[in-house]
Every structure is written in structure tokens, then in C-alpha cells.
Amino acid sequence: MRFIVQKMATASLLSSSLFISKPSSPSSLFLYLPVKRFVSSSAQFRQRYGAVVSATSVATEPAKTQSVSQNGNVEQAQMTAVAEKVVLPTNESNEQLLRIRHTCAHVMAMAVQKLYPDAKVTIGPWIENGFYYDFDMEPLTDKDLKRIKKEMDHIIGRNLPLVREEVSRDEAKSRIMAINEPYKMEILDSIREDPITIYHIGEEWWDLCAGPHVETTGKINKKAVELESVAGAYWRGDEKKPMLQRIYGTAWENEEQLKAYVHFKEEAKRRDHRRLGQDLDLFSIQDEAGGGLVFWHPKGSIVRHIIEDFWKKSHIEHDYDLLYTPHVAKADLWKISGHLDFYRENMYDQMNIEDELYQLRPMNCPYHILVYQRKLQSYRDFPIRVAELGTVYRFELSGSLHGLFRVRGFTQDDAHIFCLEDQIKDEIRAVLDLTEEILLQFGFNKYEVNLSTKPEKAVGGDDIWEKATSALRDALDDKGWDYQIDEGGGAFYGPKIDLKIEDALGRKWQCSTIQVDFNLPQRFDIVYVDSNSEKKRPIMIHRAVLGSLERFFGVLIEHYAGDFPLWLSPIQARVLPVTDTQLEYCNEVIKKLKTNGIRAEICHGERLPKLIRNAEKQKIPLMAVVGAKEVDAQTVTVRSRFGGELGTMKVDDFISRIKSATENRTTM
């Protein structure tokens, strides 16, 4: 297994359970272009029941990783072509690309002000796949974007130089006043360093900027630049400030990269969990209840139930004790933990109950400490491992909410380990093993791993920091995982390991985290009795494997494009009668399937081709067609989304094959 390593951002203060809600930028993106998936079909099946493969299943389904077992059975989708691999560079891996994108933002701003002289500019940074610029101006349309792009092409074609100039603060202020750019004045006031740097495009346009840029506009390939969209954005992200027009663009080194990126966007859009969640009836967010609050529908709830059951079973097998703790607690608890001092902006307002203040929990850590404190612990009790699927509530601005990826209420697979100093390494290694075991079950086997060390401001002495950091490093070395050291990137309360999983599109998602904590044990004054009957402070380890169940479910939806593997699919088999005269037998089949723990349903009332198309649209893994011959022979004729027509078989054989595939995490 190969592990791709990348430096990751430092987690926020007191954020042992605070997870990134957007895909992060990989050092390089391996983009798999689409291939057609052709499913084998038998003449007998077609003759008896008609064409069964819908246009979408033939032409637009994504490539699946193919795995062949020793007996030659294809365990996942059969392919007739191999996906072409295109490597897209990133800002981190390619400085020239970053310069191109930054320069494109300036060129776009210049083009806008040439076409719309009254437009006021604000900020225009490069971003993950391109750039944007915010303008105070009249609303724009897609037609306007075409005009702006045409003007950008003209500026690029003139090959104008990008010239850096250093000026005094007073000179910068004078120039800004001369062109009446109020937002630039506010930006100038926020700049603390002197002198002030300005970048000019030729002698016609300039902006406050630290760079970097390409030497001339001619260094930009205009055929590798595209303006993507326009959206509203409040100045400084404050809804009380003016609404601006934000133009997004993408820029690459050449046309091939742009085409690959455009496909990537289309594929990402096709996999968008918000659309698939609606199409497959998995979840919703109801305006009547409030933004960022997730309603799990029956099918989505089944998937969650499967995830939770597997998670609980795995943790019990690894000697964790499961907990259930309250959703609220007295506000004083959050004073002790420090959350009210450091995390208040992400917490909901307190509730007054019988003249006492209560708080919705933003994290589970203090609750687990209270369980630890219920009795005086002995060194013989260690390690103590507790785990909970705990629902927490955090305030997020409405503008930042995004499907399942950024919500206000979510459930974490949270766990805490209390151990001795000499147990840290073994406990971390065990967590790494459990993390790999769980993630592999869900189809994730490529990770980025980062080890973050002591920051400038930290609690705890150098000796314990060194012991804990060494233990994390030794555990990673024992595991054989490549990782990168993020010097000074640890939380103030301890060093940590962060792990990102790579999805089918090469995007990285931080889910798993392991954090050593010297702060909360001290704040809560938790102790144990050592072999000399003296009270000592234990080591506390925070860890999560999946992170937020909501966000992990969103990642799963997009990873599989809603086409869940058989063991995880909310409906594993759909029984389809050719006519209603077979309904009685179909109900008997359904009852037998459900009795054997198979998630099955029956659909009827339409012509068979339509029933089959509907099952395809709903991404049902298995269809069992029943006609008169099947009733007479007490059989079903089975079609798999991944394996094509499997032929006619006895119901018991059908059940046996489903159970075997489910148990072994394969398909039929």
C-alpha cells in the first residue's frame, strides 16, 4: 500500500473533534477519465424479459476498481476499457501555476474595470483550482462573463509586463484616494508591514499585492483559462456589510489540463452528495427545522445503522467500552474545559433551567472525563478506552453550511484513551491498526499522514512533549506508514496525527485524528494511584476514525457516486414480477429474504422494462425477476448491476450468494 504524504493545516484550538469540511488539495491529483461500463447480458434473459440495461448504466457510470478473486470471479464492476490517467498539478506542487492563477485574478480585475468603469475592486486571491475576485458593482450574468473573458484574452495577447513597485504607506494612500477605491483603503489599513508593495499590469492598472506573478501576461495560455461562475459574497464575510459580485475562474498551464479539470468538475457534480441524497431519498435538510440540521431518511438511516453496527462491533473487539452521554450539561463544565474561553463563537447560547445555565455540547471530551472520575482509578486499570457515537452541536454561519459536509448538528465517532506514559506508543499503534481496519472496509486504502509537533505556545513540559511526540513517531514507524512532520503544527494541548483519505476522484478528506492531550487532564485534575500509592496524572488521547458520521456519509456517497457496494446498500435486492399474477410468490420470496437478514423490497404495477430502469436509477445492486416459469420452478432470475445477468437460481441459492458476498464485502 502506498501512502501519499502532504503537510496539513494545524487544527483549531481545542479542536480534538473539529474536522475539515472541504476536500483539501493533494500534492498531485490523479484524475481518472470516464470509461463506459458494459454489462454482459444473456440472450435468454433478453428474449424472456426484454432489454434491461438503461442508457445511463452503459454510458455514464464511473470506472470501478476491479478485483479478481482466485476463482476468477470479478468482485467489482467488469470493464472493457482502462481509465486514462491525467495528473493535474496543484498550487503546492507547481509555483508557476500559482503565479499564473494569481496573475489571472489581476487580469480579470483589469478587464472588469475596463468594461465597467464604476466597479470597485476588493480582493482577488488564487484558490485551489483557480482564482476569484470580488467587485462592488451591478449584478453580473453569464453573458457578462463572456465579455469579461474576451477582454481578458485581449490583455493576455498584449503581453503586458507585471511590474512590482515598493511605495510608502502615505504614497499608497494618496494613490488609492486618487482613484477612489474605498475597499483598497480598508485593505491598506489592515497591512502591517512596510513598505507597501504594488503590482502593475503595464502602465494601465495596479493593485496592492505581495505577489507572486508571472513576468508578463503573455505567459498565460488564454485557452487554458475559463471564467466559471459569479456569486454573491459579503465584504469580509459579514452579512451586515455590502454584497459584492464574486467572479470565479480556473486557470491551468495548458488546454489538456483544463479539459481534464472540466471533466473532473462534471464528474464531481455527478457525484454531488446533495443531489444524490435527494435522488436516492437518503437524507434532507428541512428549512422548517433550520439550516445545517440533517434528517436521515429510511434508506440513509439503514446505511447509518450498518456503519454504526460495524463501528461498535470493531470497538468492542478492540477492548473499548461504549458510552452514551447527555446532549446538554451545566455551563460550568465548559468553563472548566476552557471551551467557553476559547471556543465560544462555535457554541450555541446557553439555556436557563431553574436558574442554572445549561449548554448544548460542542464536544464529548468533558463527558468522558466525568465518567473517568466516577471513581479513583488504579494504574492496574490502564489503559482505559471509552468510545461514543456522540451527537454535538456547533454554530456555523448560514453561508458556510454545505450539505452533509458543514452542518450544525452531527454525530462523531469519538473515543478517549486514558493511559500511562509508557503505554502511549502501543495505544497509538493500536489506534492506527483499528483506523486502517475500519477504513479498508469502506473502500479507502490511500491516505495522507501528518505528525504535528509542539507549537510555540503550549501546555505541559518539554519532557512530556518529547515523550509523546516520540511515541507517535515510533508508532507510525512501526506501522510502516510514510508521514510528514509539521513542525510546530500541534495543538497547544499536545502533538497529534492527522490522516486524510483519498476518494475515487483523488480528493483528500480529513477524517481520522489522534491527539495527545496534556490540557484537559490538568484542567479537570484527573488522577490515578500508582504502584507507590501516589496520585499521578494520566495521559489522555483523543481519537476519531470516521470523524462526523454525517460528513463521512457524504464522502461515501460521492466516493461511490451513490452506487454503494452490496454489503452497504440500503436495498440489496429488488424483486420484480413480470405481471401481478406473480405477486403472491414474490411476497413469499421477499419474506424469505428478509428472514435471512437481506434488505429486500418488491416493486410492481409497471411494465417490466420500466421496473428495471427504475431499479437502475435507484442503483439497486440486485434484481430478481419473477415470471410464470420462475413461479413453476420456485426460482428467480437474477441480474446484478456489476456482474450482469447471473441466470436463474433457486431462492435458497440466491440467499446464500447474497449472504456470502455481504460477509466477504464482495459483489455478485
Side-chain angles (χ1 to χ4, degrees):
M1 185 183 300
R2 179 172 176 265
F3 295 86
I4 305 170
V5 180
Q6 173 196 337
K7 186 173 182 178
M8 295 188 281
T10 304
S12 300
L13 195 65
L14 280 173
S15 60
S16 64
S17 303
L18 181 63
F19 300 100
I20 296 172
S21 61
K22 291 178 66 180
S24 59
S25 307
S27 56
S28 62
L29 177 63
F30 292 89
L31 179 63
Y32 295 92
L33 296 182
V35 299
K36 294 183 178 180
R37 186 180 74 187
F38 297 98
V39 182
S40 61
S41 58
S42 67
Q44 179 186 19
F45 194 97
R46 290 198 306 272
Q47 290 171 0
R48 291 176 62 181
Y49 304 120
V52 297
V53 183
S54 67
T56 56
S57 69
V58 172
T60 64
E61 290 297 329
K64 300 279 184 178
T65 302
Q66 182 168 295
S67 175
V68 182
S69 63
Q70 291 180 350
N71 62 12
N73 294 326
V74 177
E75 296 174 350
Q76 294 199 24
Q78 294 181 350
M79 300 295 177
T80 59
V82 177
E84 179 184 355
K85 184 184 292 185
V86 175
V87 179
L88 290 180
T90 67
N91 296 326
E92 290 78 12
S93 65
N94 189 323
E95 184 181 346
Q96 180 66 8
L97 179 59
L98 182 149
R99 291 173 179 270
I100 289 171
R101 288 171 172 170
H102 197 185
T103 306
C104 280
H106 282 223
V107 170
M108 180 175 70
M110 178 178 173
V112 167
Q113 291 197 306
K114 279 184 172 292
L115 296 172
Y116 307 91
D118 293 333
K120 304 298 181 185
V121 298
T122 61
I123 58 173
W126 70 84
I127 53 177
E128 182 177 345
N129 293 309
F131 58 92
Y132 75 79
Y133 222 113
D134 287 348
F135 304 91
D136 189 348
M137 62 184 299
E138 62 192 71
L140 295 169
T141 66
D142 289 342
K143 186 177 180 180
D144 295 321
L145 293 187
K146 293 179 180 178
R147 290 185 63 208
I148 295 168
K149 176 58 167 63
K150 186 175 180 180
E151 182 62 30
M152 287 179 66
D153 291 347
H154 178 64
I155 295 169
I156 292 170
R158 293 172 62 192
N159 198 27
L160 298 172
L162 275 291
V163 180
R164 184 178 186 272
E165 180 186 11
E166 293 184 356
V167 299
S168 68
R169 187 172 296 273
D170 288 341
E171 174 64 19
K173 184 176 294 187
S174 175
R175 293 189 189 185
I176 292 171
M177 291 175 66
I179 60 175
N180 188 26
E181 287 280 9
Y183 295 98
K184 283 189 181 182
M185 190 66 73
E186 188 173 334
I187 293 170
L188 177 64
D189 291 340
S190 68
I191 298 174
R192 297 287 176 257
E193 298 81 12
D194 286 311
I196 304 301
T197 57
I198 290 174
Y199 271 86
H200 299 261
I201 299 181
E203 298 179 354
E204 303 175 33
W205 191 89
W206 61 270
D207 198 1
L208 302 171
C209 187
H213 292 280
V214 295
E215 295 83 2
T216 68
T217 59
K219 296 288 186 180
I220 300 169
N221 183 342
K222 62 185 178 182
K223 293 184 179 180
V225 178
E226 187 175 281
L227 297 186
E228 298 182 284
S229 62
V230 61
Y234 290 109
W235 171 235
R236 299 295 195 188
D238 188 340
E239 60 186 11
K240 296 179 181 178
K241 293 184 178 181
M243 172 67 77
L244 308 174
Q245 296 292 297
R246 174 173 294 180
I247 302 176
Y248 286 99
T250 188
W252 300 89
E253 295 174 295
N254 53 58
E255 293 176 74
E256 181 188 24
Q257 290 177 359
L258 176 60
K259 289 177 181 177
Y261 169 71
V262 169
H263 164 68
F264 173 84
K265 273 209 323 176
E266 292 171 350
E267 183 63 15
K269 182 178 179 181
R270 191 182 71 82
R271 292 169 177 262
D272 191 315
H273 74 280
R274 294 166 298 178
R275 180 184 64 80
L276 288 170
Q278 181 177 347
D279 292 348
L280 302 178
D281 196 21
L282 299 172
F283 73 91
S284 64
I285 295 174
Q286 303 288 340
D287 291 337
E288 293 83 356
L293 302 173
V294 181
F295 286 73
W296 293 75
H297 297 183
K299 290 181 180 178
S301 296
I302 289 174
V303 179
R304 174 170 175 158
H305 172 71
I306 296 167
I307 294 171
E308 289 185 350
D309 269 8
F310 172 66
W311 184 91
K312 291 176 182 177
K313 181 175 180 291
S314 297
H315 280 73
I316 290 172
E317 289 175 352
H318 285 78
D319 295 323
Y320 283 80
D321 292 318
L322 302 185
L323 301 180
Y324 292 95
T325 58
H327 290 219
V328 298
K330 291 181 180 179
D332 287 346
L333 184 67
W334 308 105
K335 290 181 182 178
I336 298 171
S337 70
H339 287 91
L340 282 177
D341 292 328
F342 300 110
Y343 203 67
R344 185 187 293 270
E345 69 275 9
N346 293 102
M347 298 170 67
Y348 282 98
D349 291 342
Q350 295 170 1
M351 300 172 282
N352 191 316
I353 302 175
E354 295 181 339
D355 296 326
E356 285 193 292
L357 293 177
Y358 281 74
Q359 179 76 55
L360 277 172
R361 64 174 173 186
M363 296 181 186
N364 305 303
C365 327
Y367 288 58
H368 293 185
I369 290 175
L370 293 183
V371 173
Y372 174 92
Q373 287 181 316
R374 73 192 187 278
K375 64 179 182 180
L376 184 60
Q377 307 287 351
S378 165
Y379 72 96
R380 297 185 183 89
D381 300 324
F382 290 103
I384 297 171
R385 308 181 189 97
V386 294
E388 177 181 13
L389 293 169
T391 301
V392 298
Y393 303 89
R394 299 179 188 171
F395 174 71
E396 300 280 357
L397 292 172
S398 58
S400 68
L401 300 176
H402 181 79
L404 297 176
F405 292 158
R406 183 64 71 94
V407 294
R408 289 173 170 164
F410 54 94
T411 301
Q412 293 178 302
D413 71 318
D414 219 352
H416 295 91
I417 301 169
F418 302 91
C419 64
L420 309 177
E421 287 183 18
D422 60 3
Q423 294 174 332
I424 298 176
K425 174 187 171 182
D426 290 341
E427 289 305 303
I428 297 299
R429 173 59 196 268
V431 171
L432 295 176
D433 289 342
L434 177 59
T435 298
E436 182 179 35
E437 177 184 316
I438 290 176
L439 292 179
L440 280 173
Q441 293 296 316
F442 293 101
F444 299 109
N445 61 2
K446 293 182 180 178
Y447 320 124
E448 290 181 357
V449 184
N450 194 78
L451 170 60
S452 301
T453 61
K454 185 179 182 181
E456 289 186 13
K457 295 183 179 180
V459 299
D462 289 340
D463 57 337
I464 188 61
W465 269 90
E466 179 57 35
K467 287 181 181 179
T469 304
S470 295
L472 296 180
R473 184 185 293 110
D474 291 345
L476 285 170
D477 290 339
D478 281 357
K479 186 65 178 170
W481 286 0
D482 293 333
Y483 59 93
Q484 176 145 335
I485 301 292
D486 180 9
E487 295 289 353
F492 80 96
Y493 49 80
K496 62 193 181 79
I497 294 171
D498 288 319
L499 184 148
K500 295 180 182 179
I501 58 177
E502 179 179 320
D503 72 6
L505 291 185
R507 298 172 297 183
K508 308 297 190 303
W509 305 86
Q510 184 181 323
C511 292
S512 308
T513 186
I514 309 168
Q515 303 175 353
V516 180
D517 187 354
F518 312 130
N519 180 55
L520 289 183
Q522 179 178 325
R523 280 181 170 270
F524 282 91
D525 192 25
I526 62 174
V527 296
Y528 70 92
V529 177
D530 70 5
S531 58
N532 297 318
S533 298
E534 295 179 359
K535 290 185 177 180
K536 296 289 183 66
R537 188 131 12 246
I539 299 296
M540 182 178 182
I541 299 172
H542 305 258
R543 51 110 292 197
V545 176
L546 306 179
S548 154
L549 289 190
E550 284 76 5
R551 194 168 67 87
F552 185 73
F553 185 43
V555 173
L556 275 179
I557 294 171
E558 297 202 0
H559 178 63
Y560 288 110
D563 220 343
F564 296 112
L566 181 64
W567 75 277
L568 199 55
S569 181
I571 302 297
Q572 295 175 300
R574 181 175 284 183
V575 179
L576 308 177
V578 175
T579 68
D580 284 354
T581 57
Q582 289 91 41
L583 270 177
E584 183 178 352
Y585 174 69
C586 287
N587 284 321
E588 293 175 7
V589 172
I590 287 289
K591 183 177 180 180
K592 197 167 186 179
L593 290 170
K594 289 184 174 181
T595 300
N596 282 272
I598 294 167
R599 301 182 294 279
E601 64 182 12
I602 184 172
C603 282
H604 63 97
E606 303 280 358
R607 292 174 57 85
L608 183 61
K610 186 172 183 179
L611 293 176
I612 292 171
R613 284 195 298 272
N614 290 341
E616 284 281 345
K617 289 179 181 178
Q618 288 296 302
K619 304 182 187 296
I620 306 297
L622 297 168
M623 287 175 274
V625 176
V626 174
K629 292 184 178 179
E630 282 78 11
V631 174
D632 291 342
Q634 297 290 284
T635 60
V636 290
T637 298
V638 181
R639 178 176 185 270
S640 165
R641 273 183 64 75
F642 299 112
E645 286 74 37
L646 304 182
T648 301
M649 62 187 74
K650 293 289 186 181
V651 176
D652 286 344
D653 291 339
F654 185 42
I655 291 171
S656 178
R657 292 184 64 175
I658 295 175
K659 292 173 74 172
S660 175
T662 300
E663 182 178 348
N664 294 303
R665 303 296 195 256
T666 60
T667 191
M668 289 175 57

